[in-house]
């Protein structure tokens, strides 16, 4: 035995390396039945898999240019990061974007911009930018709600995101008077830190789910009664990443806490049904909306990614005939989001936001319903220029998901579905979450929203308007083709936005339904 240990100790360090490589080679050639490359090229073949695993990072940081990456390029990510940290978010030496590319946006500025008076709300607070419409006003809901911010957090559930990420987002919206959409994972304690909340549910009815797995009105009433910071309710019909497929939460992300909140089993993939059980026709959907609004007193809206429009036509016709219907409609783009989805769905099912919204807005405009609905856009709109285009097309608010995630540290690793998010944002790993400093991240979300609103106000004033709701489709041009370089939005999409009633920023500031500071009388 002593001789053996003496022999072991006599082996140099490079000898151990050779022994390990020989063992790997033997394993590759004689025992590996799964990977052809490492079998045919022992040892060397492993470098291929190692390089493939870090391919996205290599392309992101060393290969792709500033404007080349998807879903968000380096310039877009850099602007969000700098804005959230109060750093310099300007560009020097002119734009590096090819402004002659198809669908490039041109916002028309005025010779003499809008000049706010000394006592104007925008003069006192450069980030003040509430929604020009009140949710639930037309339908006379008992608790109408005017969002205090035109930019808000889109539906991202606790489960898809980590506890610390959700808490950071909620504290962040509290600091900038925005609202926080819960996503379909139910209302968690991390949504309950003082920010306004829009409660969102889908086909799984998490948070308002009965023992049979179906929708429970009693649980909905209890949730609203016990959580007065819930300002509106959103019913998810479909979402951009996977319309018609239902939600997917991998079993690796299901912790005991998530299982309790959602009412599901630990460790098993949560596959929400593709369709609702509470309704199966458009008239039944309309009744469902009205029942929830009547029982809770809150504005109720719907969210959907857009494909076929025949049923939307039926909904608009019913709304016109019955004088009832959703208080707000969120149109999600086929650009996708944080949710896990098969590439076939993420890449090909449902229309991009501009086409989907155009189709729906035209329908509701035809039936003269646009003034009663708050239109919300969701689909990579978290940048002032894109927001200006969206408002010119008829949007009243925008919801952001991935942009909000970037403001609290997301690096676009694109592994949200694996539970291995390196920033701790889209994972349930306690170790990975430990790097999230909640007060710091909350401040960064708030600062991103404030910077967005400030720059959006500045673009609006440069165009001669007081509020973005005044943008028309004549105010924005798009590059179309080489023969006719630009066309207005009106010419491109063949409709003209319905003017939004607006009597000045001061009237919005004085509104009793503004944000979480409302003077509403609870029903």
């Amino acid at each position: 035995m002593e001789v053996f240990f003496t022999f072991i100790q006599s082996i140099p360090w490079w000898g151990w390396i050779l022994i390990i490589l020989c063992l790997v080679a033997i394993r590759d050639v004689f025992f590996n039945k799964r990977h052809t490359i490492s079998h045919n090229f022992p040892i060397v073949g492993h470098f291929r898999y190692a390089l493939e695993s870090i391919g996205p990072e290599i392309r992101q940081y060393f290969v792709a240019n500033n404007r080349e990456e998807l879903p968000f390029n380096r310039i877009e990510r850099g602007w969000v990061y700098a804005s959230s940290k109060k750093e310099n978010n300007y560009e020097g030496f002119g734009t590096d974007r090819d402004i002659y590319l198809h669908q490039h946006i041109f916002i028309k500025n005025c010779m003499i911009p809008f000049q706010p008076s000394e006592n104007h709300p925008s003069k006192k607070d450069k980030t003040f930018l509430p929604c020009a419409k009140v949710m639930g006003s037309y339908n006379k809901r008992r608790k109408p709600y005017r969002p205090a911010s035109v930019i808000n957090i889109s539906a991202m559930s606790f489960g898809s995101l980590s506890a610390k990420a959700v808490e950071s987002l909620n504290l962040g919206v509290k600091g900038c008077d925005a609202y926080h959409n819960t996503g379909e994972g139910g209302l968690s304690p991390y949504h309950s830190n003082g920010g306004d909340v829009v409660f969102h549910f889908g086909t799984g009815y998490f948070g308002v789910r009965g023992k049979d797995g179906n929708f429970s009105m009693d649980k909905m009433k209890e949730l609203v009664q016990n959580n007065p910071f819930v300002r509106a309710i959103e019913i998810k019909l479909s979402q951009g990443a996977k319309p018609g497929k239902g939600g997917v939460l991998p079993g690796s992300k299901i912790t005991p806490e998530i299982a309790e909140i959602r009412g599901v089993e630990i460790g098993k993939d949560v596959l929400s049904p593709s369709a609702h059980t509470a309704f199966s026709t458009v008239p039944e959907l309309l009744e469902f909306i009205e029942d929830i609004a009547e029982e809770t007193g809150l504005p109720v809206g719907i969210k959907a990614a857009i494909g076929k429009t025949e049923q939307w036509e039926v909904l608009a016709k019913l709304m016109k005939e019955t004088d009832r219907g959703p208080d707000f409609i969120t149109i999600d783009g086929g650009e996708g989001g944080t949710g896990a989805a098969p590439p076939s769905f993420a890449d090909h099912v449902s229309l991009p936001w501009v086409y989907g919204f155009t189709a729906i807005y035209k329908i509701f405009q035809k039936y003269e319903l646009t003034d009663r609905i708050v239109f919300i856009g969701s689909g990579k709109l978290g940048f002032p220029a894109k927001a200006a285009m969206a408002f010119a097309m008829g949007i009243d608010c925008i919801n952001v998901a991935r942009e909000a995630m970037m403001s609290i540290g997301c690096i676009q690793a694109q592994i949200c579905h694996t539970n291995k998010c390196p920033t701790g944002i889209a994972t349930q790993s306690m170790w990975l979450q430990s790097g999230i400093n909640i007060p710091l991240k909350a401040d960064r979300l708030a600062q991103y929203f404030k910077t967005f609103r400030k720059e959006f106000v500045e673009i609006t004033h440069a165009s001669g308007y007081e509020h973005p709701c005044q943008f028309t489709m004549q105010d924005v041009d798009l590059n179309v083709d080489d023969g006719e370089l630009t066309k207005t939005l009106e010419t491109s999409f063949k409709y003209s936005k319905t003017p939004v009633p607006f009597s000045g920023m001061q009237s919005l500031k004085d509104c009793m339904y503004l944000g979480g500071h409302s003077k509403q009388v609870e029903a």
Side-chain angles (χ1 to χ4, degrees), residues 79 83 129 150-151 381-385 387 398 400 447-457:
W79 181 83
S83 298
L129 192 56
V150 297
I151 178 172
L381 299 175
F383 305 91
I398 67 169
V400 296
Q447 189 57 44
Y448 159 54
F449 275 18
K450 289 178 180 180
T451 302
F452 174 97
R453 294 194 310 235
K454 175 178 175 293
E455 292 193 12
F456 196 14
V457 167

Side-chain angles (χ1 to χ4, degrees), residues 126-404:
K126 296 183 185 300
T127 71
F128 179 71
L129 192 56
C131 179
K133 292 179 181 174
V134 178
M135 291 180 180
S137 175
Y138 179 87
N139 290 316
K140 296 180 174 58
R141 309 303 188 198
R142 297 194 300 277
K143 304 172 186 176
Y145 175 63
R146 184 192 295 275
S149 172
V150 297
I151 178 172
N152 302 282
I153 293 178
S154 190
M156 296 185 288
S157 61
F158 171 52
S160 175
L161 300 191
S162 68
K164 284 194 172 184
V166 173
E167 186 171 349
S168 298
L169 294 174
N170 193 258
L171 285 168
V173 298
K174 179 184 178 183
C176 63
D177 293 328
Y179 68 68
H180 186 181
N181 190 306
T182 63
E184 63 177 308
L187 182 68
S188 73
Y190 311 106
H191 291 103
S192 311
N193 291 280
D196 282 1
V197 164
V198 171
F199 179 74
H200 169 110
F201 68 90
T203 56
Y205 304 116
F206 304 123
V208 287
R209 178 187 180 104
K211 291 181 179 179
D212 58 358
N214 294 323
F215 175 79
S216 168
M217 184 66 79
D218 289 338
K219 286 199 171 183
M220 173 64 81
K221 290 164 63 177
E222 181 182 356
L223 182 143
V224 171
Q225 184 176 359
N226 294 340
N227 302 280
F229 52 83
V230 174
R231 305 293 178 180
I233 296 165
E234 183 175 77
I235 304 167
K236 189 194 86 169
L237 305 179
S238 59
Q239 67 187 76
K242 43 186 176 291
K245 185 171 175 57
V248 180
L249 184 65
S252 60
K253 284 190 170 186
I254 306 294
T255 65
E257 184 178 29
I258 292 171
E260 182 179 353
I261 290 171
R262 294 196 177 206
V264 297
E265 293 185 52
I266 299 173
K268 288 190 176 181
D269 291 352
V270 177
L271 306 174
S272 299
S274 59
H276 281 266
T277 56
F279 56 87
S280 58
T281 65
V282 175
E284 288 176 358
L285 168 62
L286 193 64
E287 289 298 325
F288 188 55
I289 291 169
E290 291 300 322
D291 288 346
I292 293 175
E294 177 61 30
E295 294 291 340
T296 65
L298 295 178
V300 179
I302 54 178
K303 173 184 177 177
I306 306 304
K308 297 179 180 180
T309 59
E310 292 85 353
Q311 290 172 320
W312 288 95
E313 188 92 27
V314 174
L315 175 61
K317 188 171 184 293
L318 275 174
M319 288 175 63
K320 186 68 174 179
E321 291 172 352
T322 63
D323 205 31
R324 302 186 302 167
D327 301 291
F328 61 96
I329 297 176
T330 303
I331 302 299
D332 201 10
E335 292 84 350
T338 59
S344 55
F345 271 79
D347 294 346
H348 300 290
V349 182
S350 86
L351 295 171
W353 184 83
V354 288
Y355 304 133
F357 177 75
T358 296
I360 297 308
Y361 191 88
K362 285 180 179 179
I363 291 172
F364 286 93
Q365 190 179 55
K366 182 175 75 173
Y367 287 94
E368 300 179 334
L369 299 170
T370 53
D371 59 331
R372 357 183 325 189
I373 301 166
V374 175
F375 286 101
I376 302 171
S378 177
K380 296 174 66 174
L381 299 175
F383 305 91
K386 287 186 177 180
M389 178 195 72
F391 271 76
M393 295 175 69
I395 281 297
D396 302 295
C397 280
I398 67 169
N399 284 352
V400 296
R402 290 170 290 182
E403 298 95 316

Side-chain angles (χ1 to χ4, degrees), residues 4-26:
F4 175 76
F5 283 114
T6 301
F7 172 73
I8 293 294
Q9 291 173 352
S10 68
I11 299 175
W13 63 267
W14 52 266
W16 284 111
I17 294 176
L18 289 175
I19 291 171
I20 292 171
L21 291 177
C22 286
L23 292 173
V24 171
I26 291 170

Side-chain angles (χ1 to χ4, degrees), residues 460-473:
T460 302
H461 290 178
S463 300
Y465 298 125
E466 185 179 2
H467 190 281
C469 73
Q470 297 173 284
F471 273 111
T472 73
M473 297 185 75

Side-chain angles (χ1 to χ4, degrees), residues 416-434:
C416 307
H417 58 296
T418 66
N419 203 36
K420 297 178 181 178
C421 171
T423 63
I425 293 171
T427 177
Q428 300 308 313
S429 165
M430 298 305 295
W431 166 251
L432 293 171
Q433 288 186 58
S434 64

